[in-house]
Amino acid sequence: MSLEKIALPQVLQDSIGQNGSADEIDIILVAGPGSLPIEQWGIVSPSFLKELSKLDHIFRLLTFKYDNPINDRFTWRDLLAAGDLLLDSLLVSYGKDEQSPRPIIFICHSLGGTFLKQALSKLTKANQDHQYSQSTHVLNLVSGLMFLGTPHNQLNQDAFKESIMLLLKLCTNSTLNKQQLADLSTEFWILGDIANRFQYSNISVDILSVYESQSTKIEKTKLFARSSKRIVVDKALCTISSPYEQIVSLNKDHLHLCEMLDDSFKDHNPILHWLRSVAGNSRQNVTERIAASHAYNDPSPTASSFSSFTVMRTALGKTNISIRKGITEGFSGNATEGSTSFDAEMIPILDNLVPQRRVAKLPCFMVETFQPNDNFIGRQGELKLLDLALLPSRPFISTKQQQKYAAICGMGGLGKTEIALQFAFSRGRQYDAVFWLRADNREKLDTDLAKIAVYLGLAEQTDGTETQLVLRETAKGWLANPKKYLNPEIDSIGTADANWLLVLDNADDLDILTDYTHFFGSGSVLVTSRHPLAKQSYRGASIAIDLQPFEENHAVDLLRKITGEARHSDQALKIVQKLGGLPLAISQMAGIIRRHMLTDTEFLNMYQDQADRVALYSLEMQPRRQAARGSVATTWAIEKLSSPAKAVLALLAFMDPDKIPDCMTDQVSKISLDSSDSFPNLPNTKIDFNFARAELLERSLIRRNEKQGDLWIHRVLQDTVRGKLEDDEKFRAFACTVELLDSVWPKASLDRRHNIDRWTLCQSIYPHILFLRNIYLEYSIQANAKVNIKFATLLNEAGWWQLEKGNSHSSHINRELLRHAYQIGERHQGRDVEDLLCDIHYSLGAVANETNDADSCIKHNSAFLEMRLRIAKEQRRKDLRLGIAYNQIGTGWMMVKDYQRAAGCFQDAIDTYKSLPEFNKYMLSIPIANLGLANWLQGYFNEAFQGLLQGLRDREEMWGFNDHESFRTGRLLHALGNVCFDQDRLEESESFHQRALASYQAAIGNNHHRTADVCHKVAQHCLRHGKYEEALILVDQALRAWGADLEAYLQEIARTSFLKAKILFGLGDEENANRLFKQAAATITKLSRAPDAIDHKELNEHVFDEIVTFWSR
């Protein structure tokens, strides 16, 4: 593009402010399509200009002009082009390294923010690929970003897509046609990709994200038949989750956010306050960034800082580790020599944290449940296409290859999965690794991704203590950079890229598909999907197969092979013609022919009778599974089953189809329900069940993995079975499945929760509870009180188990399960219902506690305690739940630093437990630990120590020394270490913290957030000894664990980032120390109610301790 054609930023206002100031700052306004004209923006209004003029800077207002890209040929890629145009404009205007560079602040509205994200992402990428350049200089000038109603967050893909389409409605006109609109709806992932690339660029500047609190009127047009009022971009959608981000709302609708004025602010306008803060730091930041770029030849903008190196050195140069209450002012500035005992005790702890040499075990073949299909026939043309698209090339010189992608699309029952299986089994030897992933929902996909790390030997076989997120990220890391050693025994011989095949089976949800494919590196991805647009969801080179029914000759071959005899060709041809060439139907009918030893004529006569009653072909191209009802052949196959086999099949239709474990099916014959609830003819003995299962296996209606014992059922068949059931039959099948899941779920009494022995079994049952919940919602099943309460109890159990595992990144799923359980429970009455609702409040309060949500924690635990106090009064006796309620509300008061009130609640819990007839010392572990922490935080060190020590002795009496029964012993040891630290008993503190870490490692794994808490504490001890490398290992492990949920653990991440900055400073790495110091200080500023009062030079570990929840300290 020539310079003449580049739309340079146009100056709106020049020299706004105090002429005596040397600080000149540019503010560039970027409107989106459909935004108000720039002349109507609040920042150009006289009142706003007057406020700007009061600041000690000279401002220049500019706007980025472009042609509105929305026309009859518009695609989302036109927005990318606008971003590229903005990038060119910035490089021309600001790319020169001038003596007096102007800092830049961007203010964007709506989709204008997308232009900016595209431009900044490309600047960052150019930065990473080259030495100091124009890109570096422009990035160094960027001082602040304000996004007014720009959607970003994609945790809820449906909400993101809906917001994008609403924005399109706001800025569109009749030039768009319906097909164009449909294409735009399908390709919304393009905007999501821009948001992702911007977030991953980690640009370290202050960000203000603004969302509307008033609904916006969506006008009626030719394309949109109805007018409506909607919130277009809410808080969740606008959140970028940057450590430098502030989020505010304006009392405006979406279109008028750019007015930037809100009468409700009165004397405090957060937008003006943010501008004042950013402008105040901008000159110093820009100067230091440019100096650092020249000095270190480092183009990374994340190496810059909003505060000077001098501030960082002042804060991090304080070698003391502050001790509360002034008992000891600090440690000597000289590092203490590490003792022999310290080194000896740390060796096993660090061995468990330091990743051992991770050599992937290759070749690797991960295809669970399925076995090779001996009856596979035909499809050679499709396999050849897959060969061309997916087989790895073998260059003489190893080079990085592009990712290969293929999609097999088509209706259910055509054999998409069978072709993928045949390709995996027959071509598997040509890959170093083959992985089969269930992709019909996020939970399964995440679970199978995590398994990749275990299959490759990059992580140990987990019993549930290793968080799924960490294993998943390990697997994604290897897929992105799949190295294999040419000699596994000697690293120095060299490495090469491994070739892998990833099969994403049943990827019918395109939102899930587009979320995951861009994470993978240079391998081969094969997708099977009912959605016809799955073939368009990948942006690179790809091939798509629109699968059709069998050709007649292949259909006859399949029929002959399964029946095991050469059949009369004319009759066989008529049979496959009747079945429409559908492989699933042919397989099922062949099973019936073989089982009943029918002749061709007998089969056709029987089939003709059915054809008189129902439509012969009910096969329509339906991308959604709910609409599929199978074929007439499938229906007839079900009707010919024995009654017990039908009953078993009905139950299997209400379970997750991919992996139904033996532990569940073994209990089918033991289901005990009233006759009004039980499904008719369900086998009531184990041998009867085995006969029914054998019948289903013989007819190819289900499969069984003999090695693992798991069953698999086709989704089309599940849909067909459920579709044939009357409402009463659906209820009975649902009731039996609830009873079955309830019988196999490993329950734990309220006082014995957190026992890790049950986690592995919970992992195998959990997907079936989620599946049953979806069925319950889909069919609006009307269950009676007994079944409903048992189902709600299962949902609560599942949500609690996720909490036990520390899966805070799944907290939104947990909350959905628990809230649904509460909605079901509150429809009914009775003491058991009250107990259930109390337990759900308990669970929701605990989830809030684990994710730093103090308000929700107090809300739910207050309701919990009120209910238990009322029940205790009615029953005239206390119970276990009352003791738990006292303890839980105490945690809420701890979160808001009301330690005295919390201590009283914990003591009430202890007294309640001791008054119970069933009392045992096990009940006291958690309230004693909490009471010890409350006393410690109030400065009652001796009282805290004695109570915690007695609690530890009680556990040793019950479980032995350093037990791993649950996290409870680690909790007591952690608290004892904290108390001893503040008593200046440093060696004892160190010993307790090391024991706590070892206990957590054994009980809940390295990646639990509780383990991360103690990694931080032990790292402090290492720093005190001058053991910087060991300290670095520990803080890196803590940060990995907290990376599971960047928002929930924002405070913990900031605290440990500050500690890591001190460690790096001790190692002499000032550049990275400065970067982390900046991130930590940004969080402190963001969380503070008085950010202007914070002096970054005075930041220390005690300041950061104050922002984390009590049990993390």
Side-chain angles (χ1 to χ4, degrees):
M1 179 181 291
S2 65
L3 296 182
E4 291 77 14
K5 294 182 179 180
I6 295 176
L8 301 180
Q10 176 180 328
V11 177
L12 293 176
Q13 297 279 346
D14 204 351
S15 300
I16 304 167
Q18 302 184 21
N19 291 329
S21 173
D23 291 344
E24 299 180 345
I25 299 173
D26 282 356
I27 298 178
I28 299 179
L29 310 179
V30 183
S35 294
L36 293 178
I38 292 292
E39 293 75 15
Q40 297 180 30
W41 285 33
I43 196 168
V44 300
S45 67
S47 60
F48 214 109
L49 292 176
K50 180 179 178 182
E51 293 298 324
L52 284 180
S53 67
K54 297 178 182 178
L55 304 182
D56 190 22
H57 310 282
I58 297 176
F59 292 98
R60 182 171 61 168
L61 293 186
L62 305 97
T63 182
F64 170 63
K65 294 286 188 179
Y66 61 94
D67 294 331
N68 190 337
I70 298 184
N71 52 43
D72 58 358
R73 296 186 301 277
F74 171 74
T75 71
W76 293 125
R77 290 174 176 81
D78 293 327
L79 298 188
L80 274 67
D84 294 341
L85 185 66
L86 174 58
L87 170 60
D88 292 335
S89 177
L90 294 172
L91 291 173
V92 171
S93 301
Y94 296 95
K96 296 180 181 179
D97 192 353
E98 300 173 350
Q99 291 296 318
S100 300
R102 286 176 176 262
I104 306 172
I105 298 173
F106 288 95
I107 301 178
C108 314
H109 178 245
S110 195
L111 292 176
T114 303
F115 305 165
L116 181 61
K117 290 176 183 178
Q118 167 74 352
L120 293 181
S121 299
K122 296 191 79 169
L123 274 176
T124 306
K125 182 64 169 64
N127 229 15
Q128 295 167 349
D129 294 342
H130 303 92
Q131 297 298 314
Y132 186 75
S133 63
Q134 285 183 309
S135 302
T136 307
H137 189 66
V138 174
L139 279 173
N140 284 337
L141 299 179
V142 177
S143 297
L145 310 173
M146 185 188 303
F147 294 105
L148 301 168
T150 298
H152 179 90
N153 194 312
Q154 300 169 74
L155 286 177
N156 186 332
Q157 283 281 322
D158 291 337
F160 182 78
K161 178 179 179 179
E162 182 181 23
S163 174
I164 294 298
M165 297 309 293
L166 285 174
L167 290 177
L168 184 63
K169 293 179 183 182
L170 285 174
C171 58
T172 191
N173 50 47
S174 58
T175 58
L176 290 179
N177 57 60
K178 291 186 177 181
Q179 181 59 50
Q180 193 176 8
L181 193 66
D183 293 340
L184 289 167
S185 176
T186 301
E187 295 185 345
F188 80 98
W189 55 262
I190 293 174
L191 299 194
D193 185 62
I194 296 174
N196 285 335
R197 286 190 284 111
F198 173 75
Q199 186 161 352
Y200 298 149
S201 66
N202 294 320
I203 295 177
S204 302
V205 297
D206 288 307
I207 297 173
L208 184 66
S209 296
V210 183
Y211 64 97
E212 66 255 29
S213 60
Q214 286 190 10
S215 298
T216 303
K217 185 175 182 180
I218 313 296
E219 297 290 352
K220 177 180 177 182
T221 67
K222 292 181 180 180
L223 290 178
F224 308 108
R226 298 180 181 178
S227 62
S228 61
K229 297 195 73 175
R230 303 288 297 276
I231 293 288
V232 181
V233 178
D234 60 14
K235 182 178 181 180
L237 280 168
C238 84
T239 300
I240 295 174
S241 298
S242 165
Y244 319 107
E245 179 185 27
Q246 297 180 47
I247 305 171
V248 300
S249 67
L250 285 182
N251 190 27
K252 301 285 183 183
D253 65 16
H254 185 82
L255 288 174
H256 293 87
L257 279 177
C258 47
E259 292 180 355
M260 300 168 62
L261 299 172
D262 189 338
D263 294 338
S264 65
F265 291 143
K266 297 181 180 179
D267 297 328
H268 176 74
N269 187 323
I271 292 180
L272 191 61
H273 176 81
W274 180 85
L275 281 171
R276 182 185 297 112
S277 174
V278 173
N281 292 319
S282 61
R283 172 61 60 183
Q284 184 177 6
N285 292 346
V286 168
T287 301
E288 289 180 357
R289 289 174 185 171
I290 293 173
S293 295
H294 286 303
Y296 296 102
N297 197 26
D298 179 5
S300 172
T302 59
S304 62
S305 172
F306 59 70
S307 56
S308 69
F309 275 78
T310 302
V311 173
M312 179 272 296
R313 292 177 185 126
T314 302
L316 301 185
K318 300 171 184 176
T319 56
N320 66 296
I321 299 176
S322 99
I323 295 177
R324 298 180 67 255
K325 301 294 184 182
I327 292 176
T328 300
E329 290 302 321
F331 299 108
S332 165
N334 298 320
T336 305
E337 289 297 325
S339 65
T340 304
S341 62
F342 173 85
D343 291 336
E345 292 175 3
M346 284 300 297
I347 287 172
I349 291 174
L350 294 176
D351 281 347
N352 284 331
L353 293 179
V354 178
Q356 303 300 312
R357 198 187 76 152
R358 299 295 189 180
V359 180
K361 296 178 180 177
L362 301 173
C364 178
F365 193 81
M366 188 188 99
V367 181
E368 298 184 335
T369 303
F370 296 110
Q371 299 294 326
N373 183 0
D374 295 333
N375 294 323
F376 187 84
I377 290 289
R379 303 300 195 190
Q380 296 307 307
E382 288 82 356
L383 289 172
K384 287 180 180 178
L385 287 174
L386 295 180
D387 287 344
L388 292 171
L390 299 178
L391 286 182
S393 56
R394 301 287 182 181
F396 180 74
I397 300 175
S398 179
T399 57
K400 195 77 171 178
Q401 300 180 42
Q402 278 193 328
Q403 185 184 122
K404 304 169 186 291
Y405 180 91
I408 307 174
C409 301
M411 59 179 290
L414 285 174
K416 301 182 295 295
T417 296
E418 294 298 341
I419 295 174
L421 277 171
Q422 182 67 14
F423 185 81
F425 279 109
S426 63
R427 275 69 166 173
R429 292 181 179 274
Q430 300 190 49
Y431 294 93
D432 296 301
V434 175
F435 308 108
W436 188 280
L437 275 60
R438 301 165 296 166
D440 49 315
N441 63 51
R442 295 179 190 276
E443 289 74 29
K444 289 185 189 177
L445 188 50
D446 284 345
T447 297
D448 288 351
L449 267 171
K451 287 180 182 177
I452 290 177
V454 177
Y455 268 80
L456 286 170
L458 303 178
E460 297 299 323
Q461 178 65 45
T462 176
D463 60 357
T465 61
E466 193 79 28
T467 62
Q468 180 173 290
L469 181 105
V470 173
L471 293 177
R472 186 190 74 191
E473 295 305 310
T474 300
K476 283 164 54 178
W478 185 86
L479 291 170
N481 188 25
K483 293 297 181 184
K484 62 177 179 179
Y485 287 90
L486 302 183
N487 185 330
E489 303 300 324
I490 307 174
D491 292 357
S492 60
I493 292 296
T495 62
D497 287 338
N499 296 304
W500 52 257
L501 169 68
L502 197 69
V503 181
L504 301 176
D505 190 33
N506 293 311
D508 300 340
D509 188 334
L510 294 191
D511 292 345
I512 297 176
L513 190 59
T514 54
D515 277 354
Y516 283 82
T517 50
H518 72 278
F519 285 127
F520 306 132
S522 55
S524 300
V525 178
L526 172 57
V527 169
T528 72
S529 177
R530 296 186 184 188
H531 203 303
L533 296 179
K535 53 183 176 281
Q536 300 175 7
S537 64
Y538 184 69
R539 299 176 296 284
S542 61
I543 191 169
I545 297 174
D546 289 312
L547 199 59
Q548 301 299 320
F550 264 148
E551 295 179 3
E552 289 181 347
N553 59 326
H554 290 148
V556 171
D557 288 344
L558 178 61
L559 182 68
R560 287 172 171 170
K561 189 163 188 176
I562 296 177
T563 56
E565 57 182 87
R567 310 198 65 77
H568 190 282
S569 59
D570 291 341
Q571 296 293 78
L573 183 59
K574 290 181 180 179
I575 290 173
V576 298
Q577 287 173 341
K578 293 285 186 183
L579 300 178
L582 190 69
L584 177 65
I586 294 170
S587 298
Q588 293 168 352
M589 293 303 98
I592 290 174
I593 292 170
R594 183 183 60 200
R595 177 181 174 84
H596 294 281
M597 295 180 288
L598 299 174
T599 66
D600 296 340
T601 302
E602 289 171 335
F603 175 84
L604 287 171
N605 288 337
M606 295 174 67
Y607 192 80
Q608 187 61 42
D609 290 339
Q610 291 295 325
D612 289 339
R613 292 191 291 109
V614 294
L616 185 58
Y617 300 111
S618 57
L619 305 175
E620 297 182 29
M621 293 298 289
Q622 296 283 359
R624 295 187 177 273
R625 187 174 305 130
Q626 290 87 339
R629 288 289 176 260
S631 65
V632 173
T634 304
T635 302
W636 189 63
I638 296 170
E639 291 175 349
K640 289 297 180 180
L641 290 172
S642 66
S643 295
K646 281 184 183 179
V648 171
L649 190 61
L651 258 64
L652 296 179
F654 282 72
M655 300 177 193
D656 186 272
D658 287 325
K659 207 169 185 181
I660 306 171
D662 265 349
C663 67
M664 286 174 55
T665 55
D666 285 347
Q667 298 296 315
V668 169
S669 60
K670 300 178 183 179
I671 293 176
S672 177
L673 287 172
D674 296 337
S675 58
S676 60
D677 295 343
S678 181
F679 200 86
N681 303 307
L682 198 65
N684 55 17
T685 67
K686 183 66 180 293
I687 192 168
D688 288 340
F689 169 77
N690 288 340
F691 283 140
R693 182 180 64 187
E695 185 176 350
L696 296 174
L697 289 168
E698 286 177 0
R699 300 196 181 194
S700 303
L701 294 173
I702 61 174
R703 291 185 189 173
R704 187 166 190 249
N705 185 318
E706 296 296 337
K707 183 178 179 181
Q708 298 179 351
D710 301 328
L711 294 181
W712 174 89
I713 180 172
H714 201 290
R715 287 162 174 75
V716 170
L717 182 55
Q718 282 189 313
D719 294 337
T720 302
V721 171
R722 290 195 301 270
K724 286 176 60 64
L725 296 177
E726 300 295 336
D727 287 346
D728 178 66
E729 291 176 313
K730 286 190 181 78
F731 158 69
R732 290 170 181 265
F734 172 81
C736 287
T737 309
V738 168
E739 185 71 20
L740 177 63
L741 292 172
D742 179 72
S743 68
V744 296
W745 181 266
K747 302 179 186 65
S749 62
L750 290 174
D751 63 324
R752 297 276 175 164
R753 282 184 164 183
H754 293 285
N755 187 307
I756 65 175
D757 293 341
R758 68 193 189 110
W759 285 7
T760 300
L761 183 54
C762 288
Q763 180 70 56
S764 65
I765 307 301
Y766 177 73
H768 300 280
I769 296 177
L770 291 184
F771 187 85
L772 189 62
R773 172 181 175 265
N774 293 336
I775 293 295
Y776 182 90
L777 295 173
E778 179 183 349
Y779 290 99
S780 301
I781 291 175
Q782 302 298 314
N784 58 37
K786 180 180 178 181
V787 175
N788 263 339
I789 293 168
K790 190 165 286 190
F791 180 51
T793 302
L794 270 176
L795 296 178
N796 181 52
E797 286 278 345
W800 178 268
W801 172 70
Q802 285 288 309
L803 173 75
E804 279 188 13
K805 286 187 66 184
N807 286 347
S808 64
H809 62 284
S810 302
S811 59
H812 62 290
I813 299 175
N814 296 355
R815 290 190 181 97
E816 287 178 8
L817 288 176
L818 295 169
R819 288 167 182 162
H820 187 198
Y822 196 91
Q823 290 168 3
I824 294 172
E826 65 181 353
R827 303 176 198 160
H828 306 286
Q829 296 179 342
R831 184 48 44 80
D832 57 341
V833 175
E834 288 186 314
D835 288 345
L836 171 62
L837 296 180
C838 285
D839 293 346
I840 297 171
H841 277 305
Y842 174 22
S843 299
L844 284 167
V847 170
N849 180 250
E850 297 275 316
T851 53
N852 289 326
D853 185 353
D855 291 341
S856 294
C857 180
I858 292 175
K859 170 189 170 183
H860 288 292
N861 287 322
S862 294
F864 182 19
L865 180 59
E866 288 172 7
M867 292 178 70
R868 296 323 302 178
L869 286 171
R870 176 179 56 77
I871 292 170
K873 183 177 180 180
E874 292 172 357
Q875 293 183 330
R876 297 184 179 180
R877 65 178 177 85
K878 300 177 179 179
D879 62 10
L880 179 65
R881 285 184 172 87
L882 179 59
I884 294 173
Y886 275 127
N887 179 77
Q888 292 306 108
I889 190 59
T891 63
W893 299 131
M894 290 285 280
M895 292 184 76
V896 295
K897 296 182 171 60
D898 192 344
Y899 303 129
Q900 183 177 359
R901 189 174 184 179
C905 293
F906 297 139
Q907 188 60 57
D908 287 340
I910 293 170
D911 294 341
T912 300
Y913 287 141
K914 288 183 176 179
S915 72
L916 301 179
E918 68 271 25
F919 167 71
N920 65 69
K921 292 181 179 179
Y922 183 91
M923 298 175 180
L924 301 181
S925 298
I926 291 180
I928 283 178
N930 288 337
L931 179 59
L933 289 169
N935 285 330
W936 164 60
L937 290 169
Q938 293 179 89
Y940 305 140
F941 297 152
N942 290 333
E943 187 175 343
F945 181 80
Q946 293 301 323
L948 291 166
L949 189 61
Q950 184 58 53
L952 182 62
R953 288 171 178 167
D954 289 343
R955 287 198 63 82
E956 290 174 350
E957 179 184 324
M958 290 182 290
W959 302 97
F961 187 75
N962 284 354
D963 74 274
H964 308 142
E965 176 269 341
S966 70
F967 79 94
R968 290 176 172 87
T969 294
R971 179 79 171 269
L972 289 163
L973 290 166
H974 181 181
L976 280 165
N978 291 358
V979 174
C980 287
F981 191 89
D982 279 358
Q983 290 178 310
D984 206 15
R985 297 155 60 181
L986 302 182
E987 298 309 315
E988 290 178 79
S989 171
E990 185 178 291
S991 177
F992 280 127
H993 281 148
Q994 287 177 354
R995 286 178 60 191
L997 181 51
S999 177
Y1000 281 157
Q1001 285 178 320
I1004 52 180
N1006 286 334
N1007 297 296
H1008 199 285
H1009 63 79
R1010 298 186 191 278
T1011 311
D1013 294 334
V1014 188
C1015 281
H1016 180 99
K1017 303 304 292 187
V1018 178
Q1020 287 182 320
H1021 292 295
C1022 291
L1023 183 59
R1024 177 169 60 89
H1025 287 289
K1027 300 283 186 178
Y1028 296 114
E1029 297 294 344
E1030 290 86 343
L1032 201 57
I1033 292 170
L1034 289 156
V1035 295
D1036 282 343
Q1037 176 59 39
L1039 291 170
R1040 277 195 297 272
W1042 284 318
D1045 193 327
L1046 298 178
E1047 184 175 354
Y1049 297 129
L1050 177 66
Q1051 293 95 320
E1052 286 80 1
I1053 292 170
R1055 180 178 68 148
T1056 301
S1057 294
F1058 182 82
L1059 180 60
K1060 183 175 181 179
K1062 293 192 72 167
I1063 296 165
L1064 293 173
F1065 185 74
L1067 289 168
D1069 186 355
E1070 288 196 6
E1071 187 71 16
N1072 283 311
N1074 190 37
R1075 176 176 58 84
L1076 286 170
F1077 172 76
K1078 174 188 61 177
Q1079 292 174 357
T1083 301
I1084 285 286
T1085 303
K1086 177 180 178 180
L1087 296 175
S1088 174
R1089 294 181 179 178
D1092 293 339
I1094 294 176
D1095 185 349
H1096 293 158
K1097 295 191 297 296
E1098 297 302 319
L1099 292 178
N1100 56 46
E1101 289 179 69
H1102 180 65
V1103 173
F1104 284 93
D1105 282 342
E1106 289 297 316
I1107 68 172
V1108 300
T1109 193
F1110 70 98
W1111 40 259
S1112 285
R1113 295 192 181 184

